[in-house]
Amino acid sequence: MKKILITGATGFIGRNLIERLKRNGGVEIIAVDRNWRSSDTDNSIFDGVEKVELNASDFCHLTERIKHRDIDTFFHLAWSGVNGTDKKDYRIQLSNSMAACEAVESAAEMGCNRFVFVGSADEYEFDEMPDARFHPYSHSKIYGISKYAAEVIGKIMASKSEIEFVSALLTLTYGCGNRTNVLPNMIIRNTLANKPISLIKGDNYFDMIYIDEAVKGIITVAEQGIDKESYYIGHDDLKTFKNTVLDICRALGSSIELRFGEYPDVDDALDYSKIDRTKLYRDTGYVCDYPFEKGIRQTYDWLKNVESW
């Protein structure tokens, strides 16, 4: 990869992806985001990066705003409503799918060689036949099926345009820069506040990865992934949700009260047995192996410093 384009450049994944690519060296980066704030522009991560401000709803105009026609790889990360109530909003999620398809179309028009779609493990919930018995999925799964639709339509469009398309499907990703209330952050915040935490029983399997694992996995998929393949970026050896919580607390030295079973286990929890969790290793040799305790401690130190306690 010599010249790349990244949408969603200032997001949690985007910033870390750019930082990693710059550290690897030898690449020219065009970064697209909807709102380049002064804090982003002044950040050293974006030094030497060509910045383009454009809303995802205007991705049909990408070829007008970006004159490069020698881009090797197009990374599509832009996606609104990844947390909270917006994750359930079908208008937001379907508009994300539309923007992703327009990004593929623009990539083809710009002569890109390869399109890298950064999706979600939530997509695995929906690989079903249309006449299968309907399951009452939670409304937040609207996010997952919108990602899945964008990926499938994107592959079809890429095939027609004769460009390569690969997908990196991330499981829950945590680490420095993620301010949302993902599981490690929730436990860290309750630990700092010395408050008990109410949880599900937690017998279902669960997976999460540190940001370094996610970014290295995305780059590996971009460089070595087989055309039209989708790769789960996560761990092969899984723990239950309950054991994950206990391991986080051990890494933190936390003694907060863990109230397991105050909420019921979800009926539509992700079935990891349906996921080929070793495909990425078989095709590229990459495994997620960042030290668990190190990732938790780094996240703790960062979150403690950026929030008031």
Side-chain angles (χ1 to χ4, degrees):
M1 296 186 292
K2 297 297 181 183
K3 182 181 287 189
I4 66 169
L5 187 150
I6 300 175
T7 65
T10 67
F12 172 50
I13 306 293
R15 297 167 73 93
N16 281 278
L17 178 60
I18 289 172
E19 187 174 26
R20 169 68 65 171
L21 288 167
K22 288 181 64 178
R23 191 157 64 243
N24 291 349
V27 63
E28 182 180 345
I29 301 172
I30 302 143
V32 180
D33 204 272
R34 61 186 175 186
N35 182 24
W36 285 98
R37 301 159 297 183
S38 58
S39 58
D40 297 322
T41 305
D42 295 339
N43 196 304
S44 61
I45 292 173
F46 300 106
D47 288 349
V49 171
E50 181 179 335
K51 305 175 192 69
V52 178
E53 186 168 307
L54 192 68
N55 288 324
S57 58
D58 294 323
F59 277 178
C60 57
H61 301 298
L62 266 172
T63 54
E64 300 167 21
R65 296 291 305 278
I66 298 171
K67 301 304 180 183
H68 300 274
R69 295 296 180 267
D70 56 347
I71 296 169
D72 299 303
T73 309
F74 189 124
F75 289 89
H76 183 64
L77 287 83
W79 200 276
S80 299
V82 297
N83 298 291
T85 57
D86 285 352
K87 199 170 183 179
K88 308 174 185 180
D89 191 319
Y90 73 88
R91 294 179 181 85
I92 292 173
Q93 298 308 326
L94 290 177
S95 67
N96 283 327
S97 300
M98 175 73 79
C101 294
E102 289 176 342
V104 176
E105 189 172 48
S106 295
E109 291 175 2
M110 289 188 286
C112 294
N113 297 323
R114 172 166 278 216
F115 190 94
V116 182
F117 179 77
V118 179
S120 167
D122 287 348
E123 293 179 46
Y124 288 100
E125 292 283 348
F126 297 100
D127 191 9
E128 296 182 348
M129 295 299 174
D131 61 348
R133 185 176 65 85
F134 176 75
H135 298 282
Y137 299 112
S138 67
H139 286 92
S140 63
K141 293 300 189 293
I142 291 172
Y143 164 82
I145 199 168
S146 297
K147 281 272 191 181
Y148 182 62
E151 180 180 351
V152 173
I153 297 171
K155 286 178 180 176
I156 295 169
M157 295 173 65
S159 295
K160 183 178 180 181
S161 300
E162 298 184 339
I163 65 172
E164 295 184 351
F165 187 114
V166 287
S167 300
L169 308 182
L170 303 181
T171 190
L172 184 150
T173 305
Y174 73 98
C176 306
N178 185 344
R179 291 176 178 265
T180 65
N181 210 31
V182 292
L183 181 64
N185 289 2
M186 182 168 57
I187 295 173
I188 289 169
R189 287 175 173 129
N190 281 52
T191 297
L192 289 168
N194 194 27
K195 292 181 178 179
I197 185 169
S198 298
L199 300 157
I200 60 175
K201 185 178 178 183
D203 291 334
N204 56 295
Y205 283 106
F206 183 78
D207 197 14
M208 64 183 196
I209 52 176
Y210 188 63
I211 181 62
D212 283 34
E213 295 174 303
V215 166
K216 288 171 69 177
I218 292 169
I219 294 173
T220 300
V221 169
E223 292 179 334
Q224 302 178 47
I226 297 172
D227 182 28
K228 304 304 183 297
E229 289 288 347
S230 302
Y231 295 92
Y232 174 78
I233 301 179
H235 300 100
D236 181 30
D237 187 19
L238 300 179
K239 308 172 187 177
T240 63
F241 179 89
K242 182 176 183 178
N243 285 336
T244 302
V245 170
L246 293 173
D247 285 346
I248 293 171
C249 289
R250 276 192 284 269
L252 296 172
S254 174
S255 58
I256 60 170
E257 182 184 354
L258 302 172
R259 297 175 177 173
F260 289 107
E262 290 214 350
Y263 299 113
D265 284 352
V266 292
D267 293 331
D268 59 341
L270 184 63
D271 184 356
Y272 287 95
S273 67
K274 295 180 179 179
I275 301 175
D276 186 348
R277 302 192 303 277
T278 63
K279 184 195 288 190
L280 182 59
Y281 173 74
R282 294 197 310 271
D283 286 356
T284 72
Y286 178 75
V287 294
C288 293
D289 58 2
Y290 199 85
F292 179 84
E293 185 171 336
K294 182 179 179 181
I296 295 297
R297 291 298 311 179
Q298 287 178 322
T299 304
Y300 172 87
D301 292 339
W302 175 80
L303 201 59
K304 183 179 180 180
N305 287 330
V306 298
E307 297 187 357
S308 299
W309 297 98

